[in-house]
Amino acid sequence: MAEKPEGRARGEEWWSTEIIEMRPGLIRLRGYPIEDLIGRVSFPAMIWLMLCGDLPSEQEAALLGAALGAAVDHGPQAPSIAIARMAATCGVGINSAMASAINVLGDVHGGAGEGAVAFYGEVAAAMDGSLPLEEAAAAQLDRFLAEGGAFVPGFGHRFHPIDPRAPRLLGLVRDAAAAGTVSGRFADIAEALERGIAARKGKRIPLNIDGATAVIYGELGFPPPLTRGLFVLSRSVGILAHAWEQGQRAERNKGPLPREWLWAYEGPSERRLGNAE
Amino acid sequence: MAEKPEGRARGEEWWSTEIIEMRPGLIRLRGYPIEDLIGRVSFPAMIWLMLCGDLPSEQEAALLGAALGAAVDHGPQAPSIAIARMAATCGVGINSAMASAINVLGDVHGGAGEGAVAFYGEVAAAMDGSLPLEEAAAAQLDRFLAEGGAFVPGFGHRFHPIDPRAPRLLGLVRDAAAAGTVSGRFADIAEALERGIAARKGKRIPLNIDGATAVIYGELGFPPPLTRGLFVLSRSVGILAHAWEQGQRAERNKGPLPREWLWAYEGPSERRLGNAE
Amino acid sequence: MAEKPEGRARGEEWWSTEIIEMRPGLIRLRGYPIEDLIGRVSFPAMIWLMLCGDLPSEQEAALLGAALGAAVDHGPQAPSIAIARMAATCGVGINSAMASAINVLGDVHGGAGEGAVAFYGEVAAAMDGSLPLEEAAAAQLDRFLAEGGAFVPGFGHRFHPIDPRAPRLLGLVRDAAAAGTVSGRFADIAEALERGIAARKGKRIPLNIDGATAVIYGELGFPPPLTRGLFVLSRSVGILAHAWEQGQRAERNKGPLPREWLWAYEGPSERRLGNAE
Amino acid sequence: MAEKPEGRARGEEWWSTEIIEMRPGLIRLRGYPIEDLIGRVSFPAMIWLMLCGDLPSEQEAALLGAALGAAVDHGPQAPSIAIARMAATCGVGINSAMASAINVLGDVHGGAGEGAVAFYGEVAAAMDGSLPLEEAAAAQLDRFLAEGGAFVPGFGHRFHPIDPRAPRLLGLVRDAAAAGTVSGRFADIAEALERGIAARKGKRIPLNIDGATAVIYGELGFPPPLTRGLFVLSRSVGILAHAWEQGQRAERNKGPLPREWLWAYEGPSERRLGNAE
């Protein structure tokens, strides 16, 4: 182990962090010696500490854990899961199969939850400006629709008439609000928005998984863009499970369809290079 | 929502899975309706269910959670963390910053734990063949060293004289063994190996974080290559925390060092294209 | 080889493409049998055919090749190159080392060229609306500055007072315009913008590599977002070269700085979990 | 621009390179001022210079370009291409769509060419040890088969009875050998291997694209693991073309199959959490 250089090496400032302190024989996360944390705080509490800088209560950690657990998988219809399975047959490590999949949890695939947290936050901000709940929700919906918005983030699902995860998560938030763990404000906002959407569209478009986890993340105070990262942590579990399952099979080099199915050319007919080329 | 096609579409077989069952309004993970799981099993238990197919006991889940929590971060010295921080300044989503980082948790950076589980497993197999612990450990060490192995996976650290995470994790395993949650056999193996290494090298080379989490993963029955995936889930937390922290700063396009430090050319001096080129 | 199924399998439509036609023993790219193309069109011409659907003239292909060649590398100060070098030490394949690096060529790191092509295109559109060159450039600059824009994409460099690649590329465009290969219009636009910026900022802020390749891509008719892809193809060469060079060295698990330099914690001092936790 | 620090900053050594020299206003690749190279050497020659350290002859560069051009695409049956197309619908930049795809060009998907170069190299080494061609090829084949090898790398194709790219590439090598550009030795080796395989298997298993590009890479002196990188550069073109084509369409969040096709669960039937859980 090399000695610490005299004074402060300039590279230190370049790589400074408030997350982890390291010295030989010492690791502190956000100030806590790691041996204090291990076995005493749950994994979701560790995630919280790393991201937010302080430890949550066990009730808060449990709510975070519920949101993380609820979104672990939605099957190989999701491009991320399909990619994980295909990657697992290509001769790369499981970390790389996971990376190719996580990489596509972008604005369209992984961004709806983030959008919902931000959307709720706008309503909450209007309420802070003393607008009542229903009016704040209505104003936000009207602005969204006036700006050409089609799908309110967090509501409706192409596959599920009712997303079975959403009511269950909302119930947990209600329980936590009753226990004083959270305020319940974001649950109120989500329900007001659901009513407002129904009034404007003439049919119920229920809360989906992204909207329901967004209620939890909003209640717990996570800034919207960070919740994309929480979704990545959650979906990584399904990505790993599918990469692993596929990797246990004997297939190699798995394409999206059986080989004999793909004849799908729609471009120009045969043409040849001219002699002058 | 389209109707299910008559009979079984051939694409089904191509994408079959035992992990998740999906129908409109229904999601079952490994057979369990997801609304049953949410809020009733911990996040580590959900990870276990997804990967192994059955629910663990809460004690098993807690041990898994301790291992996952212990390895979340080891600072920007680790290339994965440094990559996450640099990527966060390049104008990509946080999912992509995470993917670039997770992608490098390869054989060298992320594989030591997997190696340790496999190494312990060899000793366990020899014990199943009725060799006593110390002899089984000695035989495995001697074979490893005879084949030119230098660093026994799971032991020693370039930075920490004693890795503060290892004894704490081992203590948890001992407690769990006393409570009957696990057998304690992999803890025995790790300690026998540590003794054997000390005898052969003339100095103590203590268990490190990879060796300690490997004890837990071995006790819990995870196959070695899957534990690489567990490490990815764990380290993803630190990767996200660092990407987020860096992204909150105003820097853009962060290189590995301050710009004026990099003049490190060591190739040929100036040369010119000849006229005939 | 399985038989083609009767009728058209539905998966075909899902995966239809105009790029490549495949049948057993037959590969056609954009209609050309591949054996006709191999050895008869240059690599840049092949890139053009794949992306644009038709073959370029050899002069057009040469101009594309010059742009691709000019941007292959800008050293390990660039996060992409640093990431490639670090990844190469982590025990992943060279493809994965390249992927982690390419992945960060995002809006900030890889997007300036795309921005410049779009910026020039706005000026060109104004000229199509019959504004003279200088006025079109001035209007575009004034709008950009009025909207709070600070750095006109394609101009100025944090490191090079004059980017040595830019004048050379611009000279090639001028030669190609003289030969009738391109119109020279985007070169005119870039120069008019440089004059306009100098007039507004009171000092010359010269065309950089992104602005110069953008002139070529604009002259050749590439849509702006596709030019990000061209930059990826180009920089991939440097990424591969650096990953390879680093991989040839004996280092393992390369961090951003020598290990003993990193002590850069700036978070809270030590704190302990309370007994009640 | 900051001043160069006194003496040599230690970070320099950490990031030293023989590839690129950078100073304000100066960029040299392998010693050549970049403005000398731009427009005077072809893109394949630039690739060669970056990877190998010296400029090739134009004939050598053309042969490299032919190999790079031949392997740009093999359609969406290949997982890499399918991944690129799916990623392009997920709301990530085109660089990230490319990265997810390139990342899977691993040992199985992207490694056959590398394997073929190494395989030929073994034969060449035996010939250097003065074994005649046919005997050297036979010895290498027999050893491969004796060790349980099933598919000789570079020969046979699951889809094409004859890969139309291979004979054309081999013809180019023959022409180049006739012109003295290369020795022709690796073409001889490939043909001897094809004869040897036919003799051992009782049917012709023809050279495929990997085997044919491996002949070129072997003739040009590239070390086997670097040729994986060359394949990445080549296939990146198709990856970009497909990502771009898909991105131009209105689809979002493209899975591997139409949504209503995926009902492919094969795990346990419904089960419920017990009360005691």
Side-chain angles (χ1 to χ4, degrees):
Chain A
M1 185 51 228
E3 286 301 299
K4 182 182 162 109
E6 293 258 343
R8 190 170 208 209
R10 281 169 298 175
E12 288 189 340
E13 285 145 44
W14 193 250
W15 287 100
S16 71
T17 175
E18 299 178 19
I19 298 169
I20 185 167
E21 183 177 10
M22 304 254 303
R23 296 200 216 126
L26 178 151
I27 300 172
R28 290 195 194 117
L29 301 180
R30 303 288 192 178
Y32 292 102
I34 196 160
E35 63 273 22
D36 263 31
L37 297 167
I38 294 171
R40 294 183 68 193
V41 305
S42 67
F43 186 43
M46 198 71 133
I47 294 171
W48 180 302
L49 174 67
M50 288 291 287
L51 298 179
C52 306
D54 286 295
L55 282 167
S57 70
E58 278 308 312
Q59 293 76 20
E60 290 170 320
L63 209 50
L64 173 60
L68 292 172
V72 289
D73 193 10
H74 203 249
Q77 292 182 334
S80 54
I81 298 293
I83 287 172
R85 295 190 76 106
M86 295 198 295
T89 68
C90 291
V92 297
I94 204 161
N95 55 302
S96 290
M98 294 176 74
S100 270
I102 287 166
N103 202 25
V104 306
L105 298 174
D107 289 348
V108 173
H109 190 355
E114 178 182 346
V117 184
F119 201 91
Y120 301 162
E122 296 281 342
V123 179
M127 292 168 71
D128 289 341
S130 80
L131 224 51
L133 169 63
E134 297 294 330
E135 290 175 39
Q140 172 69 3
L141 280 174
D142 290 336
R143 183 167 45 239
F144 178 77
L145 297 169
E147 287 168 357
F151 303 104
V152 180
F155 294 87
H157 205 287
R158 289 191 288 174
F159 188 83
H160 299 297
I162 304 269
D163 187 321
R165 299 164 290 187
R168 180 74 182 115
L169 287 170
L170 213 60
L172 292 181
V173 174
R174 290 296 179 202
D175 293 346
T181 302
V182 298
S183 73
R185 184 191 208 189
F186 282 79
D188 294 341
I189 290 171
E191 290 181 347
L193 288 171
E194 198 179 278
R195 287 190 297 273
I197 295 167
R200 280 156 185 79
K201 301 268 187 182
K203 61 175 175 180
R204 186 178 171 216
I205 299 179
L207 196 69
N208 62 28
I209 176 70
D210 295 312
T213 52
V215 167
I216 292 182
Y217 296 147
E219 295 283 355
L220 297 177
F222 285 95
L226 182 52
T227 64
R228 170 100 59 103
L230 292 172
F231 176 63
V232 172
L233 293 183
S234 169
R235 186 55 55 92
S236 294
V237 177
I239 284 168
L240 172 58
H242 282 275
W244 176 252
E245 184 184 63
Q246 180 69 51
Q248 298 302 101
R249 299 182 182 172
E251 295 164 69
R252 58 191 284 276
N253 226 341
K254 183 189 187 75
L257 281 173
R259 187 163 288 262
E260 65 278 14
W261 285 26
L262 274 172
W263 312 77
Y265 180 65
E266 297 190 337
S269 308
E270 188 188 8
R271 44 185 180 166
R272 310 297 296 253
L273 274 181
N275 288 335
E277 193 85 28
Chain B
M1 182 55 224
E3 286 301 299
K4 182 180 161 111
E6 294 259 342
R8 190 172 209 208
R10 282 169 297 174
E12 287 189 341
E13 285 146 44
W14 192 250
W15 285 101
S16 71
T17 175
E18 299 177 20
I19 299 169
I20 184 168
E21 184 178 9
M22 304 256 303
R23 296 202 216 122
L26 178 150
I27 300 171
R28 290 195 194 117
L29 301 181
R30 303 290 192 178
Y32 291 101
I34 196 160
E35 62 274 22
D36 264 30
L37 298 167
I38 294 172
R40 292 184 68 194
V41 305
S42 67
F43 186 44
M46 198 71 133
I47 295 171
W48 181 302
L49 174 67
M50 289 290 288
L51 297 179
C52 305
D54 286 296
L55 282 167
S57 70
E58 279 308 312
Q59 293 74 21
E60 289 170 320
L63 210 49
L64 173 59
L68 292 172
V72 289
D73 194 11
H74 203 248
Q77 293 183 333
S80 54
I81 298 292
I83 288 173
R85 295 190 75 108
M86 294 197 297
T89 68
C90 291
V92 298
I94 203 160
N95 54 301
S96 290
M98 294 176 74
S100 270
I102 287 165
N103 202 25
V104 306
L105 299 174
D107 289 349
V108 173
H109 189 357
E114 178 181 347
V117 184
F119 201 90
Y120 300 161
E122 296 281 343
V123 179
M127 292 168 70
D128 288 341
S130 81
L131 223 52
L133 169 64
E134 296 294 329
E135 290 174 39
Q140 172 69 4
L141 280 174
D142 289 337
R143 183 166 48 241
F144 178 78
L145 296 170
E147 286 168 358
F151 303 104
V152 179
F155 295 87
H157 205 287
R158 289 191 287 172
F159 187 84
H160 298 297
I162 305 269
D163 187 322
R165 299 164 291 188
R168 180 75 183 115
L169 288 169
L170 213 61
L172 292 181
V173 175
R174 290 296 178 202
D175 292 346
T181 302
V182 298
S183 73
R185 185 192 208 189
F186 281 78
D188 294 341
I189 290 171
E191 289 180 347
L193 287 171
E194 197 179 278
R195 286 190 296 274
I197 294 166
R200 280 156 185 79
K201 301 268 186 179
K203 61 175 174 179
R204 188 179 170 214
I205 298 181
L207 196 68
N208 61 29
I209 176 70
D210 296 311
T213 53
V215 167
I216 292 183
Y217 296 145
E219 295 283 353
L220 297 177
F222 286 94
L226 182 51
T227 63
R228 169 99 60 104
L230 293 172
F231 175 63
V232 172
L233 295 183
S234 170
R235 185 54 56 92
S236 293
V237 177
I239 284 168
L240 172 56
H242 282 276
W244 175 253
E245 184 185 63
Q246 180 70 52
Q248 297 302 101
R249 298 182 183 172
E251 295 165 68
R252 60 191 284 277
N253 228 340
K254 183 188 187 77
L257 280 174
R259 186 163 287 262
E260 64 277 15
W261 286 26
L262 275 171
W263 313 77
Y265 180 65
E266 298 190 337
S269 307
E270 187 187 8
R271 45 186 180 166
R272 311 296 298 251
L273 277 180
N275 288 336
E277 192 84 29
Chain C
M1 183 53 227
E3 286 301 299
K4 183 184 162 111
E6 294 256 344
R8 190 174 208 207
R10 279 171 298 175
E12 288 188 339
E13 285 145 44
W14 193 250
W15 285 101
S16 71
T17 175
E18 299 178 20
I19 298 170
I20 185 168
E21 185 177 10
M22 304 256 304
R23 296 202 214 123
L26 178 150
I27 300 171
R28 290 195 194 117
L29 301 181
R30 303 289 192 177
Y32 292 100
I34 197 161
E35 63 273 23
D36 264 31
L37 297 167
I38 294 172
R40 293 184 68 194
V41 305
S42 66
F43 186 44
M46 199 72 134
I47 294 170
W48 181 301
L49 174 67
M50 289 290 287
L51 298 179
C52 305
D54 286 295
L55 282 167
S57 70
E58 278 309 310
Q59 292 75 22
E60 290 170 320
L63 210 49
L64 174 59
L68 293 172
V72 289
D73 193 12
H74 204 248
Q77 292 183 334
S80 54
I81 298 293
I83 287 172
R85 296 190 74 108
M86 295 199 294
T89 68
C90 291
V92 297
I94 204 162
N95 54 302
S96 290
M98 293 176 73
S100 270
I102 287 166
N103 203 24
V104 305
L105 299 175
D107 289 349
V108 173
H109 190 357
E114 179 181 346
V117 183
F119 200 90
Y120 300 163
E122 296 281 344
V123 179
M127 291 168 71
D128 289 341
S130 79
L131 224 53
L133 169 64
E134 296 293 331
E135 290 175 37
Q140 173 68 4
L141 280 174
D142 289 337
R143 182 165 49 240
F144 178 79
L145 296 171
E147 286 167 358
F151 302 103
V152 180
F155 295 87
H157 205 287
R158 289 193 288 174
F159 187 83
H160 298 297
I162 304 269
D163 187 321
R165 298 164 291 187
R168 179 76 182 116
L169 288 169
L170 213 61
L172 292 181
V173 175
R174 290 297 179 201
D175 293 347
T181 301
V182 297
S183 74
R185 186 191 205 189
F186 282 77
D188 294 341
I189 290 171
E191 290 181 347
L193 288 171
E194 197 179 279
R195 285 190 298 273
I197 295 166
R200 280 156 185 78
K201 301 268 186 179
K203 62 176 173 178
R204 188 178 170 215
I205 298 180
L207 196 69
N208 63 26
I209 177 71
D210 296 311
T213 53
V215 166
I216 292 182
Y217 296 146
E219 295 282 354
L220 297 178
F222 285 94
L226 183 51
T227 63
R228 169 100 59 105
L230 292 173
F231 175 63
V232 172
L233 294 183
S234 169
R235 186 54 56 91
S236 293
V237 177
I239 284 168
L240 172 57
H242 282 276
W244 175 252
E245 185 185 61
Q246 179 70 52
Q248 298 302 101
R249 298 182 184 172
E251 295 164 68
R252 60 190 284 277
N253 227 342
K254 182 190 188 76
L257 281 174
R259 187 163 287 262
E260 65 276 15
W261 285 27
L262 274 171
W263 313 76
Y265 180 65
E266 298 190 334
S269 307
E270 187 187 8
R271 44 187 181 166
R272 310 297 296 249
L273 275 179
N275 287 337
E277 193 85 29
Chain D
M1 184 54 226
E3 287 301 299
K4 183 182 162 110
E6 294 259 342
R8 192 173 206 207
R10 280 169 298 174
E12 288 188 340
E13 284 145 46
W14 192 250
W15 286 101
S16 71
T17 176
E18 299 178 19
I19 298 170
I20 184 169
E21 184 177 8
M22 303 256 303
R23 298 204 213 121
L26 178 151
I27 300 171
R28 290 195 194 117
L29 301 180
R30 302 291 192 176
Y32 292 101
I34 196 160
E35 63 272 23
D36 263 31
L37 297 167
I38 294 172
R40 294 183 69 193
V41 305
S42 67
F43 186 44
M46 198 71 133
I47 295 170
W48 180 301
L49 174 67
M50 288 291 287
L51 298 179
C52 306
D54 286 296
L55 282 167
S57 71
E58 278 308 310
Q59 292 76 20
E60 290 170 320
L63 210 50
L64 173 60
L68 292 172
V72 288
D73 194 12
H74 204 249
Q77 293 182 334
S80 54
I81 298 292
I83 288 172
R85 295 191 74 108
M86 295 198 295
T89 69
C90 291
V92 297
I94 204 161
N95 54 302
S96 290
M98 294 176 73
S100 270
I102 287 166
N103 202 25
V104 305
L105 299 174
D107 289 350
V108 173
H109 191 355
E114 178 181 346
V117 183
F119 201 90
Y120 301 162
E122 297 281 342
V123 179
M127 292 168 71
D128 289 340
S130 79
L131 224 52
L133 169 64
E134 296 294 330
E135 290 176 38
Q140 172 69 3
L141 280 174
D142 289 337
R143 181 166 49 239
F144 179 78
L145 297 169
E147 287 167 358
F151 302 104
V152 179
F155 294 87
H157 205 287
R158 290 192 288 172
F159 188 84
H160 299 298
I162 304 268
D163 187 321
R165 299 164 291 187
R168 179 75 182 115
L169 287 170
L170 215 60
L172 292 181
V173 175
R174 290 297 180 202
D175 293 346
T181 302
V182 297
S183 74
R185 185 191 207 190
F186 282 77
D188 293 341
I189 290 171
E191 289 181 348
L193 288 170
E194 197 180 278
R195 286 190 298 273
I197 295 166
R200 279 156 185 79
K201 302 269 186 178
K203 62 174 174 180
R204 186 177 171 216
I205 298 180
L207 195 69
N208 62 28
I209 176 70
D210 296 312
T213 53
V215 166
I216 292 182
Y217 296 145
E219 295 282 354
L220 297 178
F222 285 95
L226 182 51
T227 64
R228 169 99 59 104
L230 292 172
F231 176 63
V232 172
L233 294 183
S234 170
R235 186 53 57 92
S236 293
V237 176
I239 284 168
L240 172 58
H242 282 275
W244 175 252
E245 185 184 61
Q246 180 70 51
Q248 298 302 102
R249 298 181 184 172
E251 295 164 69
R252 59 189 284 276
N253 227 342
K254 182 189 188 76
L257 280 174
R259 187 163 287 263
E260 65 276 14
W261 285 26
L262 275 171
W263 312 77
Y265 180 65
E266 297 190 336
S269 306
E270 187 187 7
R271 44 185 180 166
R272 310 297 297 250
L273 276 181
N275 288 335
E277 193 85 27

